[in-house]
Amino acid sequence: MCGIAGLARSEGLAPDDVEVVERMTASQFHRGPDAGGIYCDTRVALGHRRLSIIDLSTLGSQPISNEDCSVRLTYNGEIYNHRELRSELLARGHRFRSNTDTETIVHGYEEWGIEGILERLRGMFAFALYDSRRGLILARDRMGIKPLYYFASKGAILFASEVKALLASGSIANATDSGALAGFLMTGSVPSPLTIVQNVRCLPAGHYLDWKAGAIQLRKYWDLRFDPTDSSSDPAAGLRDELQDTVTRHLISDVPLGVFLSGGVDSAALVALASRAQSSELRTLTVVFHEKELSEAGAARKIAQHFGTRHQEVLVTERDFHRDLPKLFAAMDQPTNDGVNTYYVSKAAREAGLKVVLSGLGGDEVFWGYRHYRTLSRALPWLRRCPAPARKMLTGSASLVGRIRGKEAWSRLGYLSAKSSSKETYLSMRGFFAPAQVQRLLGIGRKEMDIAAADSFDLTPLSGLNGFNYVEMKRYMHDQLLRDTDTFSMAHSIEARVPFLDHRIVEYAARVRPALKFANGVNKPLLVHAVDDPLLLEAGARRKQGFSFPMDRWMKRYAGELEEMSRDSGAVDASAVRQLWKSFRAGRLHWSRAWALTVLGARN
């Protein structure tokens, strides 16, 4: 895993452009402390920071080139089928200098072109490929596991793995994007392709950007599609081999590797599959707390004993949280309402001597583990039949009662007052601040808020449960979970791998009919039955808890300090902030809302 950066100009580099790329690259040292490199010619400068995972020799240093140096690549990621691609390319006459997956991309591009190599890659990646004959290409993996941001101006483009790296260039003003801020308040994360910085954009997942002579073309090469089949065959049986193959590929590493283990279905399934694939002792890691009601130590310990792993428990306390607040805020690349858990489990992994960790991230989204899918299966038919005036009256009343009684879920129903498409349904079930709260924080009306919501959710014409899942994958999964996982793991120079988001697993699950993804009494039956282990069946039968930190208790202990920080934002209304903190102290507001306000304040 690495950090990449670069700059290209159609009229040729300016005298200080290489220094600009050096600043962007240096600001991402934490993403690649093992080595660094810069390549430049008259039109482009490419930077790289390396976290060595495959082929630890200097032959894997980047930017890397083909045989005649006409193609240069700076790359961040892991390609899990690079050995097969390498064999095919060798048979076609290509010569390799290293054993890295990086070099596979260079020769694959030569052989098949950009779309040809992208459709063959299986893994997580973000890269910049410079072909001196045709220009610069930026590309990103199908699910958007690895980040890539860019800033385009007349005749020039800058790119990096982090928004903060682009700001470190000194070429971009740190002005807040108002649409991104509104989207953050509505969803809890900045909705891509926007970023919190004006005019800086996120390259969408499953896309590549073609830059030639200053002109940009953005092209989609993959998207999530739902094609449910009515096959009578057992979908779990078909999934079993795909899961085992995927996890086996994700275990390939030339450095120490472990698994993040909680007490839930996803990480238990991951440990089960990894244990079957690995002959040596598997290492597992769990974060525990003094707050026993939230600690999953017992359940995780039972899973570790069942599969015979070398297990480690790492205690995180309230004092640790308070001491590390400056480091937490410094690690953030964009505002987020979460990520503290990933920060600490990655910190623990690094201290344990690990460099690569597998995570069960994505299991709930791919296999529909959230309770709201069951709720929606009953509610969506009613929403479709309900006349608009009646829906507006009912949701408006529920929203009002929610504000009075401090019921956040009821307050968010206000998003459904105008429409009931996938966007409004998602915001009512998965939204962050309620509509009235967003309007007060930003000092805007309902019309302005609806415009911001429309800009953030121009995603899909799909309806029903599949439409909801599509939005959830694009917003909650991509914009929050994956972004937080990358940011906070890389803050500790840890490569986090997410096998459940391998595109073949995602595509397989999308072909399974919705009714088969949830069953009475079993959480994520498709995954549970595919792995087929008695301990997993037991975990699937328990009420879903989720991996949570004692943030509510910890934040109330330091509420005065955090609220004061929130007021420094300048981006949101101070009186609205005070009122929300008052609600948090009274137990009428979820901790993540107060934390989001603190994050905005810490940014300034």
Side-chain angles (χ1 to χ4, degrees):
M1 211 49 52
C2 306
I4 66 174
L7 184 158
R9 289 190 190 275
S10 57
E11 300 300 324
L13 295 185
D16 62 346
D17 280 346
V18 175
E19 292 180 11
V20 167
V21 174
E22 288 174 343
R23 286 197 296 270
M24 291 194 291
T25 305
S27 75
Q28 299 178 109
F29 181 88
H30 53 281
R31 300 185 69 91
D34 296 331
I38 299 285
Y39 165 79
C40 65
D41 69 5
T42 58
R43 288 181 294 175
V44 68
L46 306 176
H48 189 264
R49 289 301 318 180
R50 186 185 185 201
L51 183 66
S52 306
I53 304 294
I54 303 294
D55 188 348
L56 309 185
S57 74
T58 57
L59 294 174
S61 297
Q62 297 185 46
I64 201 168
S65 70
N66 62 344
E67 295 93 332
D68 66 5
C69 297
S70 61
V71 175
R72 301 274 179 171
L73 178 76
T74 181
Y75 152 75
N76 170 28
E78 295 291 345
I79 305 302
Y80 302 116
N81 64 335
H82 78 96
R83 291 173 177 171
E84 296 97 314
L85 294 174
R86 179 190 183 93
S87 296
E88 188 175 351
L89 289 163
L90 283 169
R92 291 171 178 260
H94 292 268
R95 300 191 307 275
F96 285 74
R97 297 190 299 269
S98 73
N99 291 314
T100 63
D101 55 341
T102 310
E103 201 172 354
T104 304
I105 299 174
V106 173
H107 294 297
Y109 166 77
E110 287 184 292
E111 184 67 33
W112 301 303
I114 186 61
E115 298 212 359
I117 184 60
L118 287 172
E119 70 180 17
R120 287 171 170 83
L121 294 179
R122 183 176 181 182
M124 54 181 183
F125 56 85
F127 64 76
L129 185 148
Y130 174 63
D131 184 336
S132 59
R133 297 158 298 192
R134 69 182 301 277
L136 180 72
I137 297 171
L138 307 181
R140 200 156 171 237
D141 66 71
R142 295 167 179 85
M143 299 302 297
I145 301 169
K146 292 291 97 186
L148 190 54
Y149 303 97
Y150 67 95
F151 170 83
S153 61
K154 186 177 181 181
I157 186 168
L158 288 82
F159 65 88
S161 297
E162 296 182 357
V163 174
K164 288 191 300 186
L166 287 169
L167 291 175
S169 71
S171 304
I172 301 168
N174 190 8
T176 298
D177 187 297
S178 58
L181 177 61
F184 171 67
L185 295 176
M186 286 187 283
T187 67
S189 58
V190 175
S192 62
L194 300 178
T195 74
I196 198 64
V197 178
Q198 203 172 79
N199 298 320
V200 172
R201 291 294 178 262
C202 171
L203 182 64
H207 284 66
Y208 70 92
L209 183 153
D210 202 334
W211 184 91
K212 187 175 182 180
I216 286 178
Q217 288 187 315
L218 193 61
R219 302 180 188 276
K220 181 193 295 184
Y221 70 89
W222 185 90
D223 201 1
L224 176 59
R225 291 182 174 84
F226 295 87
D227 185 22
T229 64
D230 293 317
S231 172
S232 59
S233 62
D234 179 6
L239 177 63
R240 188 169 299 126
D241 290 341
E242 287 281 7
L243 278 171
Q244 190 62 66
D245 174 67
T246 295
V247 172
T248 300
R249 291 174 183 272
H250 279 68
L251 292 170
I252 298 171
S253 174
D254 292 336
V255 294
L257 175 148
V259 179
F260 288 151
L261 176 60
S262 66
V265 169
D266 299 330
S267 63
L270 205 51
V271 170
L273 294 162
S275 298
R276 295 169 190 173
Q278 186 165 300
S279 56
S280 59
E281 186 179 47
L282 184 68
R283 297 183 66 178
T284 52
L285 190 72
T286 296
V287 170
V288 299
F289 319 108
H290 288 312
E291 292 81 0
K292 301 298 183 184
E293 70 277 11
L294 288 177
S295 182
E296 295 188 285
R301 196 177 302 132
K302 183 176 181 180
I303 295 167
Q305 290 171 350
H306 178 75
F307 294 108
T309 72
R310 178 183 166 191
H311 188 57
Q312 182 174 349
E313 294 177 356
V314 179
L315 176 67
V316 179
T317 68
E318 177 186 288
R319 184 171 295 180
D320 295 328
F321 168 72
H322 184 246
R323 180 198 63 216
D324 290 337
L325 278 172
K327 294 179 181 178
L328 278 163
F329 295 131
M332 290 182 188
D333 190 41
Q334 294 196 76
T336 176
N337 77 84
D338 205 352
V340 177
N341 50 1
T342 304
Y343 178 90
Y344 278 107
V345 75
S346 299
K347 180 175 182 285
R350 191 66 183 183
E351 291 172 351
L354 300 176
K355 207 169 183 180
V356 177
V357 183
L358 271 62
S359 166
L361 185 76
D364 282 320
E365 291 73 25
V366 173
F367 301 112
W368 294 19
Y370 296 120
R371 286 192 294 273
H372 55 243
Y373 282 100
R374 291 175 174 83
T375 301
L376 285 168
S377 68
R378 298 186 295 269
L380 285 175
W382 177 84
L383 282 172
R384 283 195 291 265
R385 294 193 304 267
C386 183
R391 186 185 65 251
K392 183 175 181 179
M393 180 183 69
L394 290 171
T395 56
S397 299
S399 179
L400 178 61
V401 172
R403 291 200 300 273
I404 295 171
R405 299 180 61 182
K407 302 288 185 180
E408 291 186 75
W410 292 17
S411 297
R412 289 197 305 272
L413 290 174
Y415 283 114
L416 284 168
S417 61
K419 298 179 182 178
S420 59
S421 69
S422 294
K423 173 188 71 178
E424 288 79 23
T425 303
Y426 177 84
L427 285 170
S428 69
M429 298 293 293
R430 284 301 239 155
F432 199 54
F433 284 108
Q437 294 170 329
V438 174
Q439 291 171 64
R440 285 198 296 272
L441 283 165
L442 296 180
I444 60 175
R446 178 64 191 242
K447 183 177 179 181
E448 294 167 286
M449 190 197 70
D450 287 343
I451 291 172
D455 291 341
S456 300
F457 286 87
D458 183 20
L459 294 172
T460 175
L462 292 174
S463 60
L465 290 173
N466 284 336
F468 184 93
N469 183 237
Y470 183 94
V471 175
E472 186 170 65
M473 294 288 271
K474 295 291 184 179
R475 284 290 166 257
Y476 183 59
M477 170 55 64
H478 175 274
D479 293 344
Q480 182 168 320
L481 297 183
L482 284 175
R483 190 180 294 160
D484 286 350
T485 296
D486 174 81
T487 297
F488 291 109
S489 63
M490 292 307 299
H492 299 287
S493 305
I494 289 289
E495 174 176 291
R497 298 179 178 178
V498 285
F500 294 141
L501 292 176
D502 183 282
H503 77 275
R504 292 185 57 161
I505 300 299
V506 174
E507 289 172 346
Y508 187 100
R511 292 194 297 269
V512 176
R513 287 182 289 118
L516 299 178
K517 294 180 185 179
F518 44 80
N520 292 332
V522 179
N523 184 29
K524 287 169 278 197
L526 185 61
L527 176 61
V528 167
H529 295 309
V531 177
D532 193 24
D533 185 278
L535 192 65
L536 202 64
L537 286 168
E538 180 184 322
R542 289 198 303 268
R543 180 178 176 83
K544 179 177 173 59
Q545 177 178 330
F547 179 41
S548 300
F549 264 50
M551 290 289 287
D552 187 86
R553 186 176 302 181
W554 294 352
M555 287 180 62
K556 282 176 179 169
R557 170 72 174 81
Y558 303 107
E561 178 182 341
L562 296 173
E563 181 179 356
E564 183 177 352
M565 194 179 299
S566 301
R567 292 175 181 172
D568 292 337
S569 166
V572 292
D573 182 78
S575 62
V577 169
R578 285 194 297 271
Q579 185 58 47
L580 287 168
W581 271 96
K582 182 178 179 181
S583 296
F584 169 65
R585 285 188 169 92
R588 293 160 56 88
L589 188 74
H590 192 266
W591 66 262
S592 61
R593 279 61 170 175
W595 179 249
L597 297 174
T598 306
V599 166
L600 288 176
R603 182 176 177 268
N604 292 314

